[in-house]
Amino acid sequence: MALLCAACLSIVNVSSGAEYVMAAGSQSIYRLDVAKARGSIYDCNLQPLVGEKKQNVAAVAPTIESIGALDQATEGEKRGYLANALENGKPFAMELSRKIKDSCINFFQVPERYSEEQLAPHVVGYVDGTGHGVTGVELAMDDLLGRSSGEVTVYYQVDALGRVIPGAEKKIVDTLEETKAGVVLTLDSKIQRLVQDASEKLEKGAVVVTEVPDGEIRALASVPGYSPNDVGSAAANEDSPLVNRAFSAYSPGSVFKLVTAAEELEEDSYGYDFTCTGSINAGGLMFHCINSTAHGRVNLSTALQKSCNCYFVAAARALGPQAVLGMAYNLGFGASQEFGRGLYTNTGVLPALEELDNARALANFSFGQGDLTVTPMQVAGMMNCIASGGTYSTLKLISGTADSSLNVTPVESAAERTVQVMERSTALRLQSYLEGVALYGTANPGAPGNCTAGIKTGTAQTGVYENGEELLHFWYSGYIEDENGPRYTVTVLREATPDDKGVTAQVFREIAEGIAEQYF
């Protein structure tokens, strides 16, 4: 009787002990986290830019039958892993290329965040190991994308050793549908793919495409690109593929002559002829046209066609530094544009007014050299203004947010502005001049054959030499039009090469013709 009483007391103590009750409770249910995902990122047509590709993920309750089926499906490649899983006895998740019929295996379609040929990686950005945005829209809209998250979780009934109880009911929680909510960008996937493919020829550089008149960015590519699935390799690459070159600043060269030209037209001082001898004196220093070419008698139209440096040095001198600098400022140069947290462009360098009191500095400024630097985004904004009739609009990248039913709510940034910075007549005259540059001038090699275009080219010196040759930046910036007028702008930069060999022109033409073929 004494021994029986002791045994009963021991049972009571064990069953009432808090630590044993907790242990029993924790061992009765096993939670298997199969997958987690965050909100989606869409293009302007609600085509997903992330998570479009799906993978099969299996939630497995290990039994001899289920493990055998998996071993056969994986052709023995995972045999060691599966053997350990069977011995362990606890549920697990694994990716599979195809589905298997087994009562102990549940399959789920889980989105892969990034593809190997990811569209717009410099815009989309990437996440860290904790699932938070590090760069691009992933960082700028991290809070919203995080709130739009979903997951797949399976709850199993297990014994005290954590092994699944055969035949016991399991509970599945799948909230991946909620990840359809997210961010809507202005990018157009078709144009983005066209631009990304064409821009590879640049080796280093950037392309920006906008839609006229509101300045929605329909494509943005930075070269070289990178895979968000392998950021480590990109970080170690000496060509810095993680840098968004469309947001970075470079010397613009002759594309900046449009600023001087616009101010000249605004002041009605464009009607005079100028004789170019191939060089001009400014502050005791001789400035030359390319290869010291003497262009002879030129006006504003032919000076743009021939990209005559001397003409614009003389024009800026006549206009005065304040007038030209004011036009540059109104066209968005010297200012950064922010699209969200961590997603902003370089400001570039716009010289101060007192610096341009120096005749040499003003001469360099007039045709895009000296201390002046600009971003491809700023050049695209200038061209969008000319193409839209003189109205400058800050470029737009994020157009709205979407709920899980894909209802879109537009968003506006406090930084957005729309202002008439030049007379419509000025913009229309510039358009006619730019079309002349495409037909008869320096931009003719890049002029598309299936639509009308207005283009300005630029070649900017860097002062950096490699193997005895100076590295140059090559620019093409222009617009293409349909029957209603200018429709898209295309800005192409090729960075730091001694000889472009016509690549920049080829990229511009290929993109322009591709857009016209798809949309005109």
Side-chain angles (χ1 to χ4, degrees):
M1 289 294 295
L3 289 173
L4 180 60
C5 290
C8 291
L9 180 62
S10 176
I11 292 172
V12 169
N13 287 336
V14 168
S15 62
S16 61
E19 59 181 309
Y20 292 106
V21 171
M22 284 182 64
S26 66
Q27 290 172 344
S28 63
I29 297 295
Y30 186 91
R31 170 176 173 159
L32 177 64
D33 292 321
V34 178
K36 291 183 178 181
R38 60 200 249 123
S40 299
I41 301 174
Y42 297 98
D43 79 348
C44 63
N45 299 308
L46 292 180
Q47 295 299 307
L49 294 169
V50 296
E52 187 174 14
K53 185 178 179 182
K54 302 295 191 293
Q55 59 185 353
N56 289 319
V57 177
V60 183
T63 64
I64 293 176
E65 291 78 9
S66 63
I67 294 298
L70 290 172
D71 183 55
Q72 185 177 1
T74 56
E75 298 179 346
E77 293 182 0
K78 302 281 186 179
R79 184 162 297 160
Y81 171 79
L82 294 172
N84 289 333
L86 179 61
E87 183 179 353
N88 180 272
K90 294 180 179 179
F92 65 96
M94 68 179 295
E95 295 179 22
L96 283 176
S97 58
R98 62 183 179 87
K99 292 185 177 181
I100 303 170
K101 289 185 178 180
D102 189 285
S103 61
C104 293
I105 303 176
N106 295 93
F107 280 89
F108 303 93
Q109 288 277 297
V110 176
E112 293 184 23
R113 188 66 179 176
Y114 310 114
S115 65
E116 286 305 312
E117 297 182 354
Q118 176 64 44
L119 279 178
H122 293 88
V123 175
V124 169
Y126 56 89
V127 297
D128 61 17
T130 65
H132 290 287
V134 177
T135 63
V137 173
E138 293 280 27
L139 172 61
M141 305 298 287
D142 186 54
D143 293 340
L144 173 66
L145 295 171
R147 289 197 304 272
S148 305
S149 62
E151 62 183 9
V152 175
T153 306
V154 182
Y155 295 90
Y156 295 90
Q157 294 186 42
V158 295
D159 60 21
L161 297 176
R163 296 177 179 272
V164 175
I165 298 174
E169 186 178 352
K170 54 181 173 284
K171 180 182 178 182
I172 297 173
V173 177
D174 184 351
T175 60
L176 288 181
E177 191 73 13
E178 296 178 12
T179 65
K180 287 185 177 180
V183 183
V184 182
L185 306 185
T186 61
L187 299 182
D188 183 318
S189 291
K190 290 183 180 178
I191 300 178
Q192 179 68 34
R193 174 59 66 194
L194 168 67
V195 166
Q196 242 170 262
D197 291 344
S199 65
E200 290 182 4
K201 302 179 187 69
L202 297 173
E203 297 178 335
K204 289 184 184 179
V207 178
V208 180
V209 175
T210 72
E211 185 163 359
V212 179
D214 294 330
E216 297 100 338
I217 300 168
R218 297 305 186 204
L220 185 154
S222 178
V223 184
Y226 72 96
S227 169
N229 292 322
D230 189 10
V231 176
S233 295
N237 190 321
E238 60 181 14
D239 288 333
S240 304
L242 294 178
V243 173
N244 187 345
R245 286 168 163 83
F247 285 10
S248 303
Y250 304 86
S251 298
S254 293
V255 291
F256 194 77
K257 289 173 181 174
L258 292 175
V259 175
T260 307
E263 185 58 34
E264 189 175 355
L265 288 169
E266 286 289 280
E267 298 195 12
D268 289 329
S269 58
Y270 61 90
Y272 75 95
D273 288 341
F274 173 82
T275 301
C276 170
T277 62
S279 62
I280 188 171
N281 187 303
L285 184 66
M286 299 302 294
F287 289 82
H288 302 270
C289 287
I290 188 167
N291 299 324
S292 297
T293 301
H295 294 119
R297 298 290 289 180
V298 292
N299 55 25
L300 179 54
S301 176
T302 52
L304 284 170
Q305 288 180 27
K306 299 176 181 180
S307 204
C308 176
N309 293 342
C310 296
Y311 178 94
F312 289 95
V313 172
R317 181 187 296 164
L319 293 167
Q322 185 167 356
V324 183
L325 186 63
M327 178 58 74
Y329 177 80
N330 289 337
L331 286 168
F333 294 104
S336 176
Q337 184 173 351
E338 186 169 0
F339 301 101
R341 179 180 56 174
L343 186 60
Y344 54 86
T345 67
N346 195 296
T347 60
V349 175
L350 199 59
L353 181 59
E354 54 269 23
E355 295 177 63
L356 296 180
D357 286 335
N358 180 291
R360 298 180 180 183
L362 180 61
N364 268 321
F365 183 66
S366 70
F367 60 94
Q369 289 286 175
D371 295 333
L372 172 71
T373 59
V374 305
T375 68
M377 290 281 286
Q378 290 169 338
V379 174
M382 173 188 69
M383 188 57 66
N384 194 84
C385 174
I386 294 170
S388 65
T391 301
Y392 178 84
S393 300
T394 50
L395 301 188
K396 301 167 182 63
L397 182 59
I398 298 174
S399 65
T401 60
D403 63 19
S404 57
S405 298
L406 298 187
N407 299 309
V408 179
T409 302
V411 297
E412 290 186 10
S413 167
E416 289 182 14
R417 67 184 180 100
T418 301
V419 58
Q420 192 79 20
V421 301
M422 65 181 76
E423 296 291 337
R424 179 170 175 79
S425 59
T426 294
L428 292 177
R429 192 176 289 274
L430 280 176
Q431 288 176 25
S432 69
Y433 292 168
L434 289 172
E435 289 169 22
V437 177
L439 287 172
Y440 313 113
T442 58
N444 182 257
N450 60 351
C451 64
T452 299
I455 312 170
K456 184 69 190 81
T457 62
T459 303
Q461 295 176 276
T462 65
V464 178
Y465 288 80
E466 188 177 275
N467 300 323
E469 294 184 283
E470 186 177 15
L471 301 180
L472 307 171
H473 301 320
F474 292 89
W475 294 81
Y476 256 72
S477 184
Y479 62 84
I480 56 175
E481 59 180 61
D482 59 14
E483 65 276 8
N484 297 314
R487 176 88 177 274
Y488 293 95
T489 76
V490 181
T491 297
V492 181
L493 161 72
R494 189 178 189 200
E495 174 191 326
T497 181
D499 187 357
D500 180 49
K501 297 180 180 178
V503 169
T504 308
Q506 182 183 352
V507 171
F508 183 96
R509 184 175 63 251
E510 186 175 327
I511 292 170
E513 290 180 345
I515 294 174
E517 184 177 339
Q518 289 188 40
Y519 291 97
F520 291 2

